[in-house]
Amino acid sequence: MYRRSDGDHQRRRELYDTTAGVVPPQPPTVGTLVVDTGQETVAEFRAELAGRWYLRPVSGGVEWDVDPRTVQPASPEQRLRVELARANAQSHRNAYCKRDPK
């Protein structure tokens, strides 16, 4: 089991100094679409660890970590765009797999 060191606790205090009124945002549910405002990228929320959020590209790929304060919920338009892209990709995969080779 991982135990946080004094350095980890100090870093967390520095990130979220409650005396300054900064409260860490609550992490969303795994798989929720969010926007990394630093990269202006729509991504899936994957995990929270040591005050950092881990996001993954919606098309798959390598996760990256971000400061939760730079993440916003995806707008309905952004979510629709991602779902449409996923549906199109799935239909292309299905069409390719069903071809009759000659």
Side-chain angles (χ1 to χ4, degrees), residues 29-85:
T29 306
V30 172
T32 299
L33 293 176
V34 296
V35 178
D36 176 359
T37 59
Q39 296 184 20
E40 296 184 6
T41 304
V42 178
E44 286 182 5
F45 174 80
R46 303 306 297 163
E48 184 269 335
L49 179 65
R52 304 288 290 175
W53 287 6
Y54 288 81
L55 308 179
R56 185 184 74 161
V58 292
S59 58
V62 179
E63 294 180 355
W64 71 94
D65 66 306
V66 296
D67 182 336
R69 295 172 290 186
T70 64
V71 176
Q72 297 177 1
S75 70
E77 182 180 287
Q78 290 167 321
R79 289 194 309 270
L80 180 61
R81 191 174 296 136
V82 167
E83 293 303 323
L84 181 59

Side-chain angles (χ1 to χ4, degrees), residues 5-48:
S5 68
D6 290 338
D8 291 335
H9 289 290
Q10 179 62 31
R11 180 171 178 245
R12 194 166 179 88
R13 278 192 296 273
E14 289 170 0
L15 281 173
Y16 304 116
D17 183 4
T18 56
T19 61
V22 177
V23 177
Q26 291 296 315
T29 306
V30 172
T32 299
L33 293 176
V34 296
V35 178
D36 176 359
T37 59
Q39 296 184 20
E40 296 184 6
T41 304
V42 178
E44 286 182 5
F45 174 80
R46 303 306 297 163
E48 184 269 335

